[in-house]
């Protein structure tokens, strides 16, 4: 999301996520485990020459995640709960989600959950921030 992280920590997390992806590929499709991960113009990662394998990576705040799909698009995201301002909620949420989140005594965890779901969605679709941002209500608002 908007966490201030040092470049060294970010690079380390990125390497850890790629290592996790390589381990997953080693289980799912060993011949793909050593393939380089490239990025589309949208930023979406992919394995050259293996269009049937979809991959996704995420890292933030010391957390890392990786996903592999065979014949399906995948997206994964991690977001540690951070303090969320009223203005951030207004900018990022639909009016329904804003009302649901604003009614909670603490919104940080719910907002992080909502943000992660949305990020995983747009990563799977390859649409970036133009995708389904703000489309999901909080868990408590379902």
């Amino acid at each position: 999301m908007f966490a201030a992280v040092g470049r060294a920590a970010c690079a380390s997390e990125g390497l850890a996520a790629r290592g996790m992806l390589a381990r997953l590929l080693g289980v799912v499709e060993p011949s793909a485990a050593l393939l380089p991960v490239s990025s589309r113009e949208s930023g979406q990662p992919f394995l050259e020459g293996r269009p049937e394998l979809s991959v996704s990576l995420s890292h933030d705040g010391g957390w890392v995640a990786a996903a592999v799909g065979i014949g399906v698009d995948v997206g994964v995201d991690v977001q540690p709960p951070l303090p969320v301002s009223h203005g951030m909620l207004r900018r990022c949420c639909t009016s329904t989600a804003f009302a649901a989140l604003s009614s909670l005594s603490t919104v940080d965890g719910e907002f992080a959950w909502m943000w992660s779901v949305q990020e995983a969605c747009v990563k799977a679709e390859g649409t970036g921030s133009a995708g389904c941002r703000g489309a999901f209500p909080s868990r408590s608002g379902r």
Side-chain angles (χ1 to χ4, degrees), residues 1-2 79 81-93 97-99 101-112 114-115:
M1 191 164 67
F2 302 109
Q79 175 59 56
L82 298 170
V84 180
S85 70
H86 189 77
M88 172 77 86
L89 289 178
R90 278 254 180 244
R91 285 189 302 278
C92 296
C93 297
F98 176 79
L101 287 169
S102 295
S103 70
L104 300 174
S105 59
T106 176
V107 301
D108 303 342
E110 288 292 320
F111 184 79
M114 183 181 77
W115 186 276

Side-chain angles (χ1 to χ4, degrees), residues 26-106:
V27 172
V28 173
E29 183 62 51
S31 65
L34 298 176
L35 291 175
V37 178
S38 297
S39 294
R40 293 187 171 87
E41 198 171 297
S42 66
Q44 187 181 36
F46 71 97
L47 301 173
E48 289 189 36
R50 299 303 301 264
E52 78 283 8
L53 295 176
S54 174
V55 298
S56 185
L57 301 163
S58 184
H59 58 89
D60 192 6
W63 291 88
V64 297
V68 176
I70 303 172
V72 296
D73 294 330
V74 294
V76 66
D77 190 66
V78 294
Q79 175 59 56
L82 298 170
V84 180
S85 70
H86 189 77
M88 172 77 86
L89 289 178
R90 278 254 180 244
R91 285 189 302 278
C92 296
C93 297
T94 62
S95 57
T96 302
F98 176 79
L101 287 169
S102 295
S103 70
L104 300 174
S105 59
T106 176

Side-chain angles (χ1 to χ4, degrees), residues 116-138:
S116 292
V117 168
Q118 292 175 136
E119 286 294 310
C121 170
V122 299
K123 285 180 175 184
E125 294 175 345
T127 56
S129 61
C132 61
R133 175 104 33 235
F136 294 97
S138 69

